[in-house]
Amino acid sequence: MLAKPVSELTEKRPLIAWVYLCTMALVWGSSFILIKRSLDAFTPQQVAAGRIFLAFLFFVPFQAYQIRQPDVRTSVRRQGPYLLAVGLTGFLLPAYLFAIAGAHINSSLSGALNSLSPLFTLLIGALFFGNRVPMRQTVGILLGLAGSILLVFFSATGEFSVNAYALLVVGATVCYGINTNLIGRYIRHMPALVSTAWIFFFIGLIALGALLFTDVWARAGRPENSLALLALATLGVLGSGLMSILFNRVVQLASPLFAASVTYLIPIVALLWGILDGEQIYAVQYAGMAVCLLGIYLTNKS
């Protein structure tokens, strides 16, 4: 087979990157409505632990192959505590927070608040990891926080009203901020597929332990719960498993900044799903989303 010209390869790469980016936005933006559908049959705790356990099952073949490599075994032993910390802050705790919040607030609101993740990544990096934040990004953080205040502390009529469940989603984005900084400081040298597979190994066992004390197996076996089970499987296998690999591939094909731009698309997909599902979106919520996205734009602008 003849090798393809370099020019042809370089022309196709941006298109592939865009396809991957849109795929991630579609799957991750749909996560909030999938949580909502999963909650039709399962408890929030079962949805959270179930999606992590299913993602763990997705990575088992990779783990089985990797464990036979001495350098991987050594790396996993040395980095085990950091892998666990990244798994707890980046996947397990947010899964519980999103599931509990999803039982009480609109999926579109969850999607909008999820966009705060890069803002908290910068803020936590500056406060606890010694990272420098330029003035433009500081303004972006403040705008993002202002937008979140509109979404969390004001009702649809514009009256001041604390939404405690929306605060759980904000807490999940704080976890994401911690997680990203932990990855950058402690495990960025590990191959992405290796670190991701073993992150889910540690937290997958915790999730399995949590599921053993519930009736999730009986619920999953009921025919009337088949759609909810499919939504949960999609959350775990696609949302938590495959998209984690795809994100790293986009970074390789394009750049970290391009990959991070999925943050702009996720709230749009979540909002569209919310509208299709009959959720009411009010002017104050649109304003909050717009301010959040402006803040994200300023923090990511090169």
Side-chain angles (χ1 to χ4, degrees):
M1 182 180 294
L2 294 176
K4 295 183 179 180
V6 174
S7 59
E8 184 179 348
L9 293 175
T10 54
E11 287 176 1
K12 287 188 175 182
R13 279 192 172 188
L15 177 60
I16 294 173
W18 274 106
V19 171
Y20 288 167
L21 186 78
C22 292
T23 302
M24 289 191 301
L26 181 60
V27 174
W28 281 339
S30 302
S31 295
F32 311 100
I33 195 67
L34 289 172
I35 290 172
K36 188 175 181 179
R37 293 284 74 86
S38 300
L39 290 168
D40 291 338
F42 302 100
T43 67
Q45 293 75 19
Q46 290 170 347
V47 171
R51 67 182 294 187
I52 296 300
F53 177 66
L54 289 169
F56 159 73
L57 292 180
F58 172 80
F59 282 108
V60 165
F62 299 100
Q63 295 160 356
Y65 170 76
Q66 293 168 357
I67 197 64
R68 289 177 284 179
Q69 303 176 32
D71 57 331
V72 171
R73 292 199 300 269
T74 301
S75 181
V76 170
R77 280 197 300 267
R78 289 177 178 174
Q79 304 298 325
Y82 300 122
L83 294 171
L84 176 60
V86 168
L88 291 174
T89 57
F91 296 97
L92 192 61
L93 289 177
Y96 273 90
L97 293 173
F98 275 114
I100 295 171
H104 300 277
I105 65 175
N106 287 345
S107 59
S108 52
L109 177 58
S110 293
L113 288 170
N114 181 72
S115 65
L116 292 171
S117 301
L119 305 182
F120 282 116
T121 298
L122 281 172
L123 187 59
I124 291 169
L127 293 177
F128 301 104
F129 290 83
N131 299 337
R132 189 179 66 86
V133 180
M135 179 58 66
R136 185 194 69 252
Q137 293 182 324
T138 301
V139 173
I141 291 174
L142 294 177
L143 280 174
L145 295 177
S148 68
I149 289 173
L150 286 175
L151 292 171
V152 174
F153 293 102
F154 287 89
S155 67
T157 59
E159 297 177 352
F160 184 84
S161 175
V162 179
N163 189 332
Y165 293 104
L167 284 174
L168 293 180
V169 179
V170 176
T173 63
V174 173
C175 289
Y176 287 147
I178 297 171
N179 167 75
T180 303
N181 282 284
L182 287 175
I183 291 173
R185 179 63 62 89
Y186 297 110
I187 65 172
R188 65 182 303 175
H189 63 282
M190 296 182 69
L193 184 55
V194 172
S195 61
T196 306
W198 290 96
I199 283 169
F200 277 100
F201 172 79
F202 290 114
I203 62 174
L205 295 178
I206 297 174
L208 175 60
L211 290 173
L212 290 176
F213 297 96
T214 72
D215 64 343
V216 66
W217 317 108
R219 296 185 185 220
R222 296 171 188 165
E224 64 272 20
N225 292 341
S226 57
L227 288 179
L229 181 60
L230 178 61
L232 184 59
T234 305
L235 271 173
V237 176
L238 288 183
S240 297
L242 187 59
M243 291 305 106
S244 300
I245 301 174
L246 208 60
F247 181 85
N248 291 303
R249 183 57 179 156
V250 173
V251 172
Q252 294 173 340
L253 289 170
S255 68
L257 184 62
F258 180 81
S261 64
V262 71
T263 310
Y264 305 108
L265 302 176
I266 289 174
I268 297 172
V269 176
L271 178 63
L272 292 175
W273 273 117
I275 293 173
L276 290 174
D277 199 49
E279 297 177 355
Q280 288 186 306
I281 314 297
Y282 299 97
V284 68
Q285 294 175 324
Y286 281 115
M289 293 178 195
V291 174
C292 283
L293 290 176
L294 177 59
I296 295 165
Y297 170 75
L298 290 176
T299 56
N300 282 322
K301 184 179 179 183
S302 58

